[in-house]
C-alpha cells in the first residue's frame, strides 16, 4: 500500500523518510509543530520543536494497531498457544520472540520501523555489568496488575530521555498520545522520560548516561557491610555483640542515597537501631523476632534521613553513616581528579564513549557520597 507523507520537510535520511511514510500508512498522527530528525539531537534520532508548543498539546497519536507486541505480531496465535511455556517473571519472553520474528521477516508490517534500529554488529552495551539490581527496580519489574503487556511503541521510542522531560506518554483505550507537560520553545528537543533512573540504571538498560547535575534521580549505594565495619571501629564497641548483630543483618545489601537523602530510610533506620543496641536490648529484639512494621512512622523516618534530617541525627548515628560513606568512597578513584576531568571539555572529548559513561556514573555516585559525608561530619 503506497502512502504519501504529509508533513514538514525532514533531513535526507532515507530510512527516516520511509518510516514517516509508514507512520501515515498506520494512521500515526504527528503534529506539524515537531520534526523527527537525525542530528541536532542528543543521540541518534530525536524530535525537535518547529514552533512554540504549549503545555497539554498532543505531539503525536499512535493507534494501538500500530503497537508491536505479542497480540499484534504475525505469530500471535502461536504465542497464545504456547503461552504457558513462555511465562517468566518479567513477562518479556513473548515480546522478545515477536521481535525476533518481525525483525527477520522481510514482509513484516513493522519493517520500516525496525529498519531504524541500530545494527549491533559490534556489541558495546553493558547489559551484564550489574549483577545485583536495586530492590526498588525489582518491585517495578514485578508489578502484577500492569494494564499493558511489554510492547514496542513506534515514534515514542525515538524520543530521547532526560529526567527533567517535557513530554509524557498517555494511554487511552484506542491509542497512545505523547503530550507536552511543560512549554517547549521552537528549536528545543522534545524529551520523553524512561522513568526515574540513576545513571547506572540508564547505562545498564539503555547504554547512555546524563551529567549528574541534569539527573535528579541519580543514586549511590552504601553497602550494609560498611555500616557494620563502621560500628566495629567505635571505641566502646562490643565486638562479640556486633558479630552476633552482623549474623542477623548480613542478608541486607545496601542503602540507597539520592540527591535529597536516603531512599531506603526504613531499612537504614532499622539497622542503625540494631547496631546501637545494648546486649539486653538485642537479646529482647531477637526473642521478639524483631519489630512490627509501623506504617505511620514511615513518613517521619523519611524526614529523619533527608538531607536536612541527617544534620540533626544523634551523634553516634551520624558517625556511623559518615564512616560507612567514607569506606564506600575509598572504592572509587579520587573525586577531585574526576572533577577536574569533568570541567575540561577537551579531555572529555578525548574519552571513548565507554570511558565517558563510566566517568559520569562514578562521578555522580561519588558526589552523592561526598554530600552524605559532609552532612554527617561531626
Amino acid at each position: 500500500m503506497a502512502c504519501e507523507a504529509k508533513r514538514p520537510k525532514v533531513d535526507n535520511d532515507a530510512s527516516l523518510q520511509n518510516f514517516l511514510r509508514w507512520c501515515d500508512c498506520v494512521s500515526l498522527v504527528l503534529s506539524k509543530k515537531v520534526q523527527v530528525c537525525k542530528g541536532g539531537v542528543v543521540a541518534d534520532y530525536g524530535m525537535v520543536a518547529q514552533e512554540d508548543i504549549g503545555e497539554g498539546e498532543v505531539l503525536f497519536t499512535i493507534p494501538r494497531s500500530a503497537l508491536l507486541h505479542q497480540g499484534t505480531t504475525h505469530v500471535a496465535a502461536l504465542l497464545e498457544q504456547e503461552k504457558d511455556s513462555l511465562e517468566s517473571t518479567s513477562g518479556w519472553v513473548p515480546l522478545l520472540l515477536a521481535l525476533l520474528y518481525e525483525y527477520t521477516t522481510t514482509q513484516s508490517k513493522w519493517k520500516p520501523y525496525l529498519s531504524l534500529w541500530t545494527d549491533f554488529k559490534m556489541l558495546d552495551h553493558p547489559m551484564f555489568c550489574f549483577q545485583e539490581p536495586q530492590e526498588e527496580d525489582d518491585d517495578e519489574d514485578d508489578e502484577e496488575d500492569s494494564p499493558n503487556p511489554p510492547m514496542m511503541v513506534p515514534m515514542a521510542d525515538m524520543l530521547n530521555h532526560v529526567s527533567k522531560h517535557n513530554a509524557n506518554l498517555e494511554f487511552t483505550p484506542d491509542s497512545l498520545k505523547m503530550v507536552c507537560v511543560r512549554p517547549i520553545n521552537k528549536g528545543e528537543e522534545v524529551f520523553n522520560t524512561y522513568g526515574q533512573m540513576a545513571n547506572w540504571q540508564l547505562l545498564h538498560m539503555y547504554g547512555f548516561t546524563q551529567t549528574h547535575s541534569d539527573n535528579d534521580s541519580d543514586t549511590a549505594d552504601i553497602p550494609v557491610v560498611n555500616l557494620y565495619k563502621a560500628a566495629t571501629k567505635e571505641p566502646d564497641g562490643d565486638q562479640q555483640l556486633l558479630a552476633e548483630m552482623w549474623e542477623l543483618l548480613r542478608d541486607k545489601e545496601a542503602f540507597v542515597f539520592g540527591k535529597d537523602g536516603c531512599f531506603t530510610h526504613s531499612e537504614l533506620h532499622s539497622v542503625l537501631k540494631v547496631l546501637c543496641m545494648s546486649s539486653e536490648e538485642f537479646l529482647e529484639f531477637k526473642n521478639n523476632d524483631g519489630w512490627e512494621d509501623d506504617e505511620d512512622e514511615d513518613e517521619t523516618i523519611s524526614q529523619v534521613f533527608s538531607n536536612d534530617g541527617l544534620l540533626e541525627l544523634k551523634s553516634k548515628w551520624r558517625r556511623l553513616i559518615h564512616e560507612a560513606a567514607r569506606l564506600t568512597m575509598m572504592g572509587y578513584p579520587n573525586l577531585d581528579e574526576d572533577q577536574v576531568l569533568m570541567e575540561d571539555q577537551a579531555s572529555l572529548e578525548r574519552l571513548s564513549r565507554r570511558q565517558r559513561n563510566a566517568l559520569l556514573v562514578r562521578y555522580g555516585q561519588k558526589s552523592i557520597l561526598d554530600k552524605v559525608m559532609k552532612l554527617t561530619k561531626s
Side-chain angles (χ1 to χ4, degrees):
M1 177 181 178
C3 291
E4 202 68 31
K6 303 171 183 176
R7 56 187 75 263
K9 182 181 178 182
V10 297
D11 57 35
N12 293 322
D13 184 281
S15 295
L16 177 55
Q17 292 187 39
N18 191 31
F19 167 70
L20 292 174
R21 285 191 291 270
W22 176 83
C23 289
D24 287 321
C25 287
V26 297
S27 301
L28 190 158
V29 180
L30 183 65
S31 168
K32 295 180 179 179
K33 290 188 176 183
V34 295
Q35 176 185 359
V36 185
C37 53
K38 185 172 187 178
V41 294
V42 295
D44 298 325
Y45 294 102
M47 183 175 287
V48 176
Q50 300 301 292
E51 302 176 27
D52 292 344
I53 302 172
E55 182 178 344
E57 290 192 50
V58 177
L59 306 178
F60 53 86
T61 301
I62 313 156
R64 285 188 173 270
S65 57
L67 305 177
L68 173 52
H69 56 80
Q70 64 198 61
T72 57
T73 176
H74 288 78
V75 290
L78 178 60
L79 294 178
E80 176 63 23
Q81 178 183 325
E82 301 295 332
K83 65 179 181 180
D84 291 342
S85 62
L86 301 178
E87 289 183 358
S88 67
T89 303
S90 69
W92 274 78
V93 174
L95 175 60
L96 293 174
L97 291 174
L99 288 172
L100 283 170
Y101 177 84
E102 299 296 343
Y103 190 79
T104 55
T105 302
T106 56
Q107 300 302 316
S108 172
K109 167 184 174 180
W110 288 273
K111 198 67 176 179
Y113 162 57
L114 300 176
S115 67
L116 294 176
W117 291 8
T118 303
D119 185 2
F120 294 104
K121 291 182 178 178
M122 183 183 73
L123 294 176
D124 188 23
H125 193 286
M127 292 180 66
F128 307 106
C129 287
F130 302 90
Q131 298 298 322
E132 299 177 354
Q134 301 269 5
E135 207 171 291
E136 66 263 26
D137 300 330
D138 291 339
D139 290 340
E140 292 171 358
D141 291 340
D142 293 340
E143 291 180 3
E144 292 183 0
D145 299 322
S146 175
N148 298 289
M151 64 181 66
M152 304 304 298
V153 186
M155 189 64 75
D157 52 19
M158 295 178 69
L159 269 59
N160 291 307
H161 160 96
V162 292
S163 63
K164 303 169 185 175
H165 58 287
N166 51 28
N168 198 46
L169 194 63
E170 297 183 359
F171 288 70
T172 71
D174 299 321
S175 63
L176 278 63
K177 298 181 178 182
M178 188 64 68
V179 179
C180 177
V181 296
R182 59 183 176 83
I184 305 173
N185 295 325
K186 179 180 178 179
E188 288 185 346
E189 184 168 357
V190 177
F191 288 103
N192 190 11
T193 175
Y194 302 164
Q196 295 181 335
M197 294 190 176
N199 266 342
W200 73 262
Q201 293 169 301
L202 289 172
L203 182 59
H204 184 198
M205 296 179 68
Y206 300 105
F208 71 90
T209 54
Q210 290 184 260
T211 60
H212 179 65
S213 60
D214 288 333
N215 191 348
D216 291 338
S217 302
D218 218 357
T219 64
D221 288 1
I222 296 181
V224 66
V225 67
N226 284 349
L227 202 63
Y228 164 68
K229 289 178 181 178
T232 64
K233 295 183 178 183
E234 287 287 298
D236 59 346
D238 182 333
Q239 300 302 315
Q240 169 105 21
L241 177 61
L242 286 169
E244 292 180 31
M245 292 173 172
W246 177 239
E247 286 302 313
L248 187 68
L249 301 173
R250 67 190 310 152
D251 62 328
K252 300 184 181 296
E253 296 180 358
F255 308 109
V256 184
F257 281 82
K259 289 187 174 183
D260 298 318
C262 184
F263 290 148
T264 52
H265 45 267
S266 296
E267 292 85 348
L268 178 57
H269 180 260
S270 298
V271 171
L272 283 169
K273 285 183 72 173
V274 170
L275 291 175
C276 294
M277 285 177 175
S278 65
S279 57
E280 293 80 10
E281 290 171 329
F282 182 64
L283 179 61
E284 181 181 356
F285 174 78
K286 285 202 303 182
N287 290 339
N288 292 334
D289 293 324
W291 298 290
E292 292 184 5
D293 293 334
D294 188 344
E295 294 181 3
D296 294 335
E297 288 187 2
D298 190 65
E299 185 174 348
T300 302
I301 294 172
S302 71
Q303 293 298 320
V304 169
F305 294 104
S306 66
N307 286 348
D308 291 338
L310 291 174
L311 294 167
E312 305 299 328
L313 282 179
K314 58 184 75 174
S315 58
K316 185 171 183 179
W317 285 23
R318 292 180 68 204
R319 286 199 308 272
L320 292 179
I321 294 173
H322 179 88
E323 179 62 13
R326 189 190 70 82
L327 291 171
T328 305
M329 184 76 90
M330 289 174 62
Y332 290 88
N334 185 277
L335 176 62
D336 293 335
E337 292 178 0
D338 279 349
Q339 177 71 51
V340 171
L341 184 55
M342 289 287 294
E343 295 173 353
D344 185 347
Q345 190 61 37
S347 296
L348 278 176
E349 290 175 355
R350 286 195 292 269
L351 297 178
S352 67
R353 186 174 70 175
R354 285 187 177 186
Q355 290 172 325
R356 182 182 174 86
N357 283 333
L359 170 64
L360 292 175
V361 168
R362 71 173 184 262
Y363 179 77
Q365 293 176 342
K366 288 189 295 182
S367 296
I368 291 173
L369 292 172
D370 184 62
K371 188 170 187 177
V372 171
M373 290 174 62
K374 289 175 179 174
L375 291 170
T376 54
K377 187 175 182 180
S378 301

